[in-house]
């Protein structure tokens, strides 16, 4: 009889303990899935070409937050993108195409900008012919900047090999020009404007003079991430397009946002923004075909990815149709 009562007492205490534990759990409930914001990790280099990302960071977003991950070089950024440590990136389109060729499944969902690349030379250079035998800097062989150099030399009757082409990190180029280590360079902004404002360099060509409708930086996302987050991708692209429109205003708000990410003097940023546009961020097939032809002609790619394999315009088209 006593044993029976003991068993009942133990059972009762167990029930009470379980109820207390449940009550403790109720005091700190897990937020519902709809209330949690997804973090989207996007890589970038601190250049004006990534301006829509900077302004998107400051927009109100219901279902996601962007974590911008800064890199010091394109190879480091591509390593992180290719291995899935980031979900997407603002990146040179040629590097993304090369990764696609190598089996990394990426999709371009928007352009980063239009125009905004300048060929800069030292004050001593008076013509393209003066570059023969001189050192000239680009950020990467797989870049629109390299294509612009190639096209400039070809138009002036020079071979690509007539110039000593060197790859330098963008921040080093204005210093190298000022010190006389290179005769010129072409690179993302604001590094071209930096030399012009400082008086060490001058503009030889704007990108649209050499290659109209040129493609440079693009917003890419990993395809596996897109498949898993279709609706979220639509939201990211929608806000990205909105941010591009804000960047195109080039007003005090836009400059303040860019200044948060760029180490550039006000007059350098002002000049840089004069050269660049953010109001049309859809990548069209004709421009992509021109880019692919350049890569084959220059021996940088034997088989560039097809437009439909590399570009997904469905998200940006939905945004444009809804406006």
């Amino acid at each position: 009889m006593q044993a029976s009562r003991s068993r009942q007492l133990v059972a009762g205490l167990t029930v009470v303990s379980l109820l207390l534990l449940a009550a403790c759990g109720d005091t700190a409930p897990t937020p519902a899935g709809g209330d949690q914001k997804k973090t989207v990790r996007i890589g970038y280099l601190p250049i004006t070409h990534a301006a829509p990302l900077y302004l998107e960071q400051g927009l109100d977003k219901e279902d996601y937050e962007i974590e911008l991950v800064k890199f010091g070089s394109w190879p480091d950024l591509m390593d992180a993108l290719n291995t899935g440590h980031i979900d997407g990136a603002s990146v040179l389109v040629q590097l993304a195409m090369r990764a696609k060729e190598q089996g990394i499944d990426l999709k371009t969902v928007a352009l980063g900008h239009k125009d905004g690349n300048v060929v800069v030379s030292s004050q001593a250079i008076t013509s393209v012919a003066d570059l023969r035998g001189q050192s000239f800097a680009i950020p990467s062989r797989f870049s629109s900047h390299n294509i612009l150099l190639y096209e400039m030399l070809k138009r002036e009757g020079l071979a690509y090999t007539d110039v000593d082409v060197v790859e330098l990190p963008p921040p080093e180029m204005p210093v190298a020009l000022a010190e006389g280590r290179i005769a010129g360079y072409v690179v993302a902004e604001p590094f071209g404007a930096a030399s012009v404002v400082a008086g060490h360099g001058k503009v030889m060509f704007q990108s649209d003079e050499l290659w109209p409708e040129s493609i440079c930086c693009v917003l890419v996302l990993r395809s596996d991430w897109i498949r898993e987050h279709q609706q979220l991708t639509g939201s990211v692209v929608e806000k990205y397009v909105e941010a591009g429109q804000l960047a195109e205003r080039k007003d005090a708000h836009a400059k303040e946002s860019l200044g948060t990410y760029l180490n550039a003097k006000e007059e350098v940023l002002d000049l840089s923004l004069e050269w660049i546009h953010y109001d049309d961020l859809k990548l069209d097939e004709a421009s992509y075909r021109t880019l692919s032809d350049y890569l084959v002609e220059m021996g940088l790619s034997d088989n560039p990815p097809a437009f439909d394999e590399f570009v997904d315009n469905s998200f940006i088209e939905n945004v444009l149709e809804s406006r």
Side-chain angles (χ1 to χ4, degrees):
M1 184 72 162
Q2 188 171 353
S4 176
R5 287 177 181 172
S6 297
R7 285 193 296 272
Q8 290 174 356
L9 180 60
V10 170
L13 289 172
T14 301
V15 171
V16 171
S17 298
L18 290 172
L19 289 172
L20 286 172
L21 286 171
C24 289
D26 288 343
T27 62
T30 301
D35 295 332
Q36 291 179 317
K37 287 190 175 183
K38 177 71 177 177
T39 298
V40 189
R41 305 188 78 231
I42 305 292
Y44 77 101
L45 264 64
I47 53 179
T48 56
H49 296 186
L53 278 182
Y54 309 150
L55 276 94
E56 183 170 3
Q57 181 77 310
L59 295 175
D60 291 332
K61 301 174 282 291
E62 293 183 0
D63 50 353
Y64 71 97
E65 293 289 351
I66 288 182
E67 179 186 344
L68 292 182
V69 184
K70 179 180 175 180
F71 291 89
S73 69
W74 293 120
D76 288 344
L77 181 148
M78 289 306 301
D79 284 345
L81 182 63
N82 295 348
T83 55
H85 286 92
I86 53 178
D87 305 312
S90 176
V91 65
L92 296 173
V93 63
Q94 294 85 358
L95 291 177
M97 292 170 71
R98 186 176 180 225
K100 182 77 171 181
E101 280 188 86
Q102 294 173 338
I104 308 300
D105 200 1
L106 305 173
K107 287 284 189 179
T108 292
V109 294
L111 292 172
H113 62 99
K114 283 195 171 179
D115 304 322
N117 290 306
V118 295
V119 180
V120 175
S121 74
S122 71
Q123 298 291 353
I125 298 296
T126 60
S127 69
V128 175
D130 291 344
L131 294 173
R132 188 188 300 270
Q134 302 278 351
S135 293
F136 195 96
I138 57 173
S140 170
R141 289 192 310 128
F142 295 93
S143 69
S144 294
H145 311 99
N146 194 26
I147 294 174
L148 290 169
L149 171 61
Y150 171 82
E151 179 63 25
M152 179 183 72
L153 295 173
K154 184 172 73 170
R155 288 188 182 192
E156 297 297 322
L158 271 68
Y160 186 83
T161 52
D162 286 335
V163 174
D164 178 24
V165 182
V166 297
E167 294 186 24
L168 287 178
E172 291 185 21
M173 294 186 188
V175 177
L177 186 71
E179 294 177 348
R181 290 186 282 122
I182 57 175
Y185 62 89
V186 55
V187 71
E189 283 301 306
F191 302 106
S195 285
V196 174
V197 169
H200 303 305
K202 60 184 179 182
V203 176
M204 296 185 72
F205 291 97
Q206 297 277 354
S207 55
D208 60 345
E209 296 178 282
L210 297 170
W211 177 14
E213 301 298 319
S214 61
I215 307 168
C216 182
C217 292
V218 293
L219 176 64
V220 300
L221 295 170
R222 290 179 57 87
S223 295
D224 54 359
W225 194 91
I226 294 176
R227 285 191 295 269
E228 188 177 347
H229 304 98
Q230 284 280 321
Q231 184 174 345
L232 190 57
T233 302
S235 298
V236 170
V237 174
E238 179 180 11
K239 289 295 184 180
Y240 184 84
V241 171
E242 181 182 343
Q245 296 294 331
L246 294 175
E248 183 62 21
R249 294 179 184 176
K250 301 169 185 178
D251 56 12
H253 171 65
K255 292 176 184 178
E256 182 181 0
S257 297
L258 268 69
T260 303
Y261 296 92
L262 305 178
N263 182 22
K265 296 179 180 179
E266 183 177 357
E267 57 268 38
V268 171
L269 185 56
D270 287 345
L271 181 58
S272 176
L273 288 174
E274 286 182 17
W275 299 334
I276 195 165
H277 300 287
Y278 306 101
D279 54 343
D280 181 8
L281 300 181
K282 178 182 173 181
L283 174 51
D284 67 89
E285 189 166 0
S287 298
Y288 183 79
R289 191 179 306 116
T290 300
L291 166 62
S292 298
D293 290 344
Y294 267 125
L295 294 178
V296 173
E297 181 179 334
M298 295 175 67
L300 296 173
S301 174
D302 294 327
N303 186 30
F307 180 81
D308 291 339
E309 294 175 354
F310 181 66
V311 180
D312 186 345
N313 276 335
S314 62
F315 299 102
I316 196 167
E317 286 173 351
N318 287 338
V319 174
L320 298 177
E321 288 172 2
S322 66
R323 289 175 173 251

